[in-house]
Amino acid sequence: GSFLAQGGANGGNGGLVETSSEGLLYVDGITVNTLAAKGTAGDWLLDPANINIKTASSPGVVPYSSVTHDDNTTSGTSDIDVTTINNATSNITLAASNTITFSTNVNIAALGVGLTAKAGVTATLLDSLAGNSIAGLKSGTGTIDTAGNYIRTNGGSITFLAGDQVKLNNSTLFTRGGNLTITTGDIIVNSAAA
């Protein structure tokens, strides 16, 4: 499916698209466009319990199942194909109540599109989940792990907000001119706290 919340041709900013799940979230193949020709791009919020960014061919990536999807007692990790992130035409906000793991390299192609990862989210209000607010983060809960992979934007910002840890072991963050913000309890760099 496709979701559009674009700014107008003569002005206006892009809007907010939320794809939410109490347990598992399946968004592979979805297109969300919140770009604005004469304003700022909007946001795409994804907020399941746990998030793992992987390649589609990675072991453990489970294709969509209507049985699992409709079972709200299902918990676990939502695997998101990195192609969905790389091709984003909206600022991406990943908001997990527990962990966010980048199990592969991320290379966002669209100019100015940023990535925000928020781990340890306890809030349910969109104001707290979307954007770069630390409101709604539970202290001591939530880890972001780049797992030795790089994350690259094309001038968009990278923001990591975690209630417990951000692990940057053997990883590189490229913004190509965008801002880089990390707010957390501990930043782990090559297995040592910074």
Side-chain angles (χ1 to χ4, degrees):
S2 297
F3 299 91
L4 304 175
Q6 297 172 288
N10 296 320
N13 297 327
L16 170 68
V17 174
E18 177 188 11
T19 46
S20 183
S21 173
E22 185 178 346
L24 295 176
L25 181 66
Y26 185 83
V27 296
D28 293 351
I30 290 177
T31 301
V32 175
N33 188 331
T34 64
L35 294 177
K38 300 212 175 182
T40 58
D43 296 289
W44 181 16
L45 171 65
L46 301 99
D47 63 338
N50 298 291
I51 299 171
N52 191 4
I53 306 299
K54 292 178 141 185
T55 59
S57 61
S58 297
V61 173
V62 179
Y64 174 79
S65 159
S66 61
V67 174
T68 303
H69 180 77
D70 293 336
D71 179 5
N72 65 7
T73 63
T74 303
S75 61
T77 299
S78 295
D79 293 323
I80 298 175
D81 183 356
V82 70
T83 304
T84 302
I85 303 298
N86 289 344
N87 294 333
T89 51
S90 298
N91 292 308
I92 299 287
T93 299
L94 306 171
S97 53
N98 296 312
T99 62
I100 299 172
T101 304
F102 294 90
S103 296
T104 191
N105 296 321
V106 173
N107 191 7
I108 298 173
L111 183 65
V113 168
L115 174 68
T116 297
K118 299 174 83 167
V121 172
T122 60
T124 56
L125 298 174
L126 283 178
D127 291 344
S128 298
L129 292 175
N132 297 334
S133 170
I134 61 169
L137 286 181
K138 183 178 178 186
S139 180
T141 302
T143 298
I144 298 169
D145 189 351
T146 56
N149 295 291
Y150 70 75
I151 298 174
R152 182 180 309 184
T153 67
N154 191 7
S157 296
I158 297 175
T159 303
F160 286 167
L161 307 166
D164 189 22
Q165 296 181 340
V166 172
K167 297 179 181 179
L168 301 173
N169 294 321
N170 300 311
S171 298
T172 304
L173 307 177
F174 301 94
T175 64
R176 297 181 188 153
N179 294 327
L180 173 62
T181 304
I182 301 174
T183 304
T184 186
D186 292 315
I187 300 173
I188 308 298
V189 179
N190 296 332
S191 302

